[in-house]
Amino acid sequence: MTDAELIKEAIEARKKSYCPYSNYAVGAALLTKNGKVYRGCNIENAAFSPTNCAERTAIFKAVSEGDTDFSRIAIIGGSVDGPVDSYAYPCGVCRQVMMEFCNPETFEIIAAMSEDVYQIFTLKELFPEGFGPDNL
Ligand code: THU
């Protein structure tokens, strides 16, 4: 799957965002090593702290279906009212959740503004010296 195709999935996922409090809509598309895509959006809550980010929605959907081997994730976010004009980088909690299932050296995070404007990082670049299953 190309970068643009995975970003397109994240753009579709973003349309399902439930973000009445922040009005900041995020979509994520997680690619498994066997080629399946899990979409996720941010899901907010009136009590605020139960809010789930788009990345974790996608990861938890995949794990709950028995998929735990991931190769990359595309993320796109911005105000619901305007064009996406900045990158939505994964929050610290999502980076920690990625650390649980993904190889930091090889797992790729695509932060996108559009299908053709994006940056690619490894998890290790965004979460150096992270604590993961290998530390226990
Ligand atoms: N959010 C995500 O879903 N992913 C990110 O990478 C950054 C933040 C969500 C959480 C909340 O619903 C909204 O964006 C504003 O923080």
Side-chain angles (χ1 to χ4, degrees), residues 38-113:
Y38 286 92
R39 293 180 182 176
C41 62
N42 55 330
I43 304 169
E44 298 187 344
N45 190 280
F48 288 15
S49 63
T51 292
N52 209 55
C53 292
E55 298 90 319
R56 273 177 290 142
T57 301
I59 294 168
F60 293 157
K61 279 174 68 180
V63 174
S64 69
E65 296 296 326
D67 273 328
T68 53
D69 288 335
F70 309 130
S71 59
R72 31 198 353 221
I73 191 167
I75 307 156
I76 184 161
S79 168
V80 286
D81 316 311
V84 175
D85 56 7
S86 64
Y87 294 110
Y89 299 111
C91 78
V93 173
C94 288
R95 294 178 202 203
Q96 182 65 47
V97 169
M98 290 174 193
M99 192 71 198
E100 186 66 27
F101 298 104
C102 309
N103 180 336
E105 313 262 357
T106 57
F107 183 72
E108 288 183 334
I109 296 160
I110 303 173
M113 281 202 251

Side-chain angles (χ1 to χ4, degrees), residues 8-17 26-29 39-41:
K8 209 169 185 172
E9 292 281 340
I11 291 168
E12 286 306 306
R14 184 170 177 258
K15 293 177 184 169
K16 300 285 199 297
S17 168
V26 187
R39 293 180 182 176
C41 62

